[in-house]
């Protein structure tokens, strides 16, 4: 009996695709797929200076995280997919990130099994709370959150009491509804706070000055190397000057990193505030029950001061107190 050629061909194509990774392996990793989905080359563009040289002598290169300007060349080569399709993929990635409580560009993905996981902390010892089920085999079953220190080391180490999960969820509903009822005033407060933060974190001119100084030192170092190659400088002078210039370059690089980290924090805070404003603006009604997506989008952590006293820390940095009467 002759084999079905179409079935055989489909099977061969499938096997060829499965094994056709960049490294020749037979498994596609999430990171590899992410690189493909975000690679501008697929729609015919070319992003230059993805990496930058950090050491003139060794030619060591690192990923460009804003150290140097990047240039995007559109229509650089024949595309595999359309620009519209590429943009749709980016929008879908952002949409899925928001559903899991992530800000666009945030690398800390939310993979926890429960919505409160990793967000509940003890006000006494700062340890995180863990989810536990009491009386799981009878009708009085109850889900609570308990301090990890208390669970592992006993009340001598921390005497924090357990908190009912439903109480925590209901507390968030009340917190959100208070924000929503005064939505316009709350949004004005958020915008005023972020403007204050941004005005105190403006380091753009300082970074430009540092970059200019670095370029001058790189030029000096290049000239020094040329003198060395032409035997126009004494060895001892070369060594001394090389060390001095290298030390100054390293010091400037460290200062630049600090400014960039400050600017990254500024951008992150702004993104967090924009995310909260977007969630509040899109929601037309009050919450009637706990909403996991809204909770993950707004709340950074909950600090438990007592079973009836909580502090909700929003992703903007704002803290809201909730006391159960």
């Amino acid at each position: 009996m002759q084999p079905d050629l179409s079935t055989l061909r489909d099977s061969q194509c499938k096997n060829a695709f499965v094994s056709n990774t960049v490294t020749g392996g037979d498994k596609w990793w999430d990171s590899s797929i992410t690189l493909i989905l975000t690679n501008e080359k697929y729609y015919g563009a070319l992003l230059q200076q993805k990496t930058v040289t950090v050491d003139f002598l060794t030619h060591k290169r690192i990923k460009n995280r804003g150290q140097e300007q990047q240039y995007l060349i559109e229509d650089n080569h024949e595309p595999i997919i359309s620009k519209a399709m590429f943009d749709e993929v980016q929008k879908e990635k952002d949409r899925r990130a928001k559903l899991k409580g992530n800000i666009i560009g945030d690398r800390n993905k939310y993979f926890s099994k429960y919505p409160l996981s990793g967000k509940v902390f003890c006000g006494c010892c700062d340890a995180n709370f863990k989810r536990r089920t009491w009386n799981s085999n009878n009708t009085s079953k109850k889900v609570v959150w308990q301090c990890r220190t208390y669970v592992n080391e006993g009340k001598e180490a921390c005497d924090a009491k357990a908190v009912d999960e439903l109480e925590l969820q209901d507390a968030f509903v009340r917190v959100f509804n208070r924000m929503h009822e005064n939505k316009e005033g709350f949004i004005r407060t958020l915008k005023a706070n972020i403007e204050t933060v941004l005005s105190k974190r403006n380091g753009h001119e300082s970074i430009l000055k540092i970059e200019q100084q670095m370029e001058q030192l790189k030029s000096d170092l290049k000239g020094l190397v040329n003198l060395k190659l032409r035997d126009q400088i004494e060895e001892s002078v070369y060594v001394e000057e090389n060390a001095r210039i290298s030390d100054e370059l390293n010091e400037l690089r460290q200062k630049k990193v600090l400014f960039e980290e400050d600017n990254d924090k500024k951008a992150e805070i702004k993104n967090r505030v924009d995310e909260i404003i977007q969630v509040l603006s899109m929601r037309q009604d009050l919450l009637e029950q706990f909403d996991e997506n809204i909770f993950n989008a707004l709340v950074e952590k909950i600090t438990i001061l007592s079973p009836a006293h909580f502090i909700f820390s929003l992703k903007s940095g704002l803290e809201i107190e909730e006391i159960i009467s």
Side-chain angles (χ1 to χ4, degrees):
M1 179 179 179
Q2 294 292 329
D4 187 335
L5 293 181
S6 61
T7 302
L8 179 60
R9 184 167 54 250
D10 290 343
S11 175
Q12 290 173 337
C13 290
K14 179 180 179 181
N15 290 334
F17 175 78
V18 169
S19 62
N20 189 25
T21 65
V22 175
T23 59
D26 58 359
K27 182 174 182 179
W28 286 87
W29 298 96
D30 292 347
S31 57
S32 300
I33 296 175
T34 298
L35 286 174
I36 293 174
L37 295 178
T38 56
N39 192 336
E40 77 287 344
K41 291 186 177 68
Y42 284 89
Y43 74 87
L46 175 64
L47 182 62
Q48 294 187 320
Q49 292 201 164
K50 288 186 176 181
T51 61
V52 293
T53 302
V54 295
D55 193 309
F56 178 81
L57 296 177
T58 64
H59 303 289
K60 178 181 178 182
R61 299 184 68 84
I62 62 172
K63 187 174 182 179
N64 186 359
R65 300 185 182 276
Q67 299 95 320
E68 303 289 348
Q69 185 174 356
Q70 293 181 314
Y71 303 93
L72 181 65
I73 303 175
E74 301 280 1
D75 301 320
N76 181 73
H77 52 270
E78 189 71 22
I80 297 176
I81 61 173
S82 67
K83 178 65 163 57
M85 179 180 292
F86 181 85
D87 290 339
E88 285 299 317
V89 171
Q90 310 318 305
K91 290 179 182 178
E92 178 62 16
K93 287 175 84 282
D94 293 341
R95 185 189 71 82
R96 295 188 184 191
K98 288 180 181 180
L99 289 177
K100 293 189 176 183
N102 293 313
I103 298 168
I104 298 173
D106 186 2
R107 299 288 184 179
N108 298 320
K109 303 303 181 185
Y110 187 86
F111 288 117
S112 300
K113 185 176 181 181
Y114 306 104
L116 301 181
S117 295
K119 294 195 175 186
V120 186
F121 291 85
C122 181
C124 298
C125 69
D126 293 329
N128 66 308
F129 273 43
K130 61 187 300 184
R131 191 177 191 268
R132 308 187 77 192
T133 303
W134 288 354
N135 305 320
S136 58
N137 296 324
N138 55 49
T139 55
S140 59
K141 175 181 176 180
K142 184 178 182 180
V143 176
V144 300
W145 289 79
Q146 281 188 295
C147 174
R148 187 174 296 273
T149 302
Y150 174 87
V151 173
N152 295 337
E153 303 177 32
K155 63 181 180 181
E156 292 78 12
C158 181
D159 61 355
K161 302 295 189 294
V163 182
D164 190 312
E165 181 174 77
L166 293 178
E167 291 282 7
L168 278 174
Q169 293 179 347
D170 290 344
F172 169 72
V173 171
R174 292 192 296 273
V175 165
F176 177 84
N177 287 342
R178 287 207 306 273
M179 290 190 296
H180 192 276
E181 287 173 342
N182 186 30
K183 179 164 54 176
E184 293 183 1
F186 188 78
I187 290 176
R188 282 198 302 269
T189 300
L190 285 176
K191 290 182 176 179
N193 288 344
I194 192 59
E195 288 299 326
T196 301
V197 171
L198 295 181
S199 65
K200 293 180 179 180
R201 292 176 173 268
N202 187 10
H204 181 64
E205 293 183 1
S206 298
I207 289 181
L208 289 178
K209 184 176 180 180
I210 289 175
E211 289 176 342
Q212 291 171 356
Q213 293 173 341
M214 290 175 64
E215 287 303 317
Q216 181 60 54
L217 287 173
K218 290 177 183 178
S219 178
D220 294 344
L221 186 59
K222 184 177 180 180
L224 185 67
V225 172
N226 288 333
L227 289 175
K228 170 67 173 175
L229 293 175
R230 294 196 297 266
D231 291 327
Q232 294 178 347
I233 187 172
E234 294 183 6
E235 180 67 23
S236 59
V237 176
Y238 170 78
V239 171
E240 182 178 351
E241 282 298 294
N242 186 289
R244 180 187 65 80
I245 295 174
S246 297
D247 288 343
E248 290 184 18
L249 266 174
N250 287 331
E251 184 178 345
L252 288 173
R253 287 191 186 104
Q254 292 174 8
K255 289 176 66 175
K256 185 180 178 183
V257 167
L258 291 177
F259 276 114
E260 288 171 342
E261 289 177 350
D262 190 64
N263 286 342
D264 287 344
K265 290 178 182 178
K266 174 184 65 178
E268 181 181 355
I269 292 172
K270 186 179 186 305
N271 284 339
R272 287 170 178 250
V273 170
D274 290 344
E275 181 82 3
I276 291 175
I277 292 174
Q278 182 181 14
V279 171
L280 286 173
S281 301
M282 292 177 62
R283 179 75 188 188
Q284 299 300 318
D285 303 319
L286 297 178
L287 286 180
E288 297 183 1
Q289 60 184 8
F290 180 77
D291 187 301
E292 177 180 348
N293 294 328
I294 293 179
F295 173 79
N296 286 327
L298 299 185
V299 177
E300 182 74 22
K301 76 172 189 175
I302 309 172
T303 302
I304 308 299
L305 302 181
S306 80
H309 190 182
F310 318 133
I311 302 292
F312 286 83
S313 299
L314 303 186
K315 290 185 175 181
S316 65
L318 185 66
E319 293 186 342
I320 300 178
E321 186 177 32
E322 175 64 14
I323 301 176
I324 300 175
S325 59

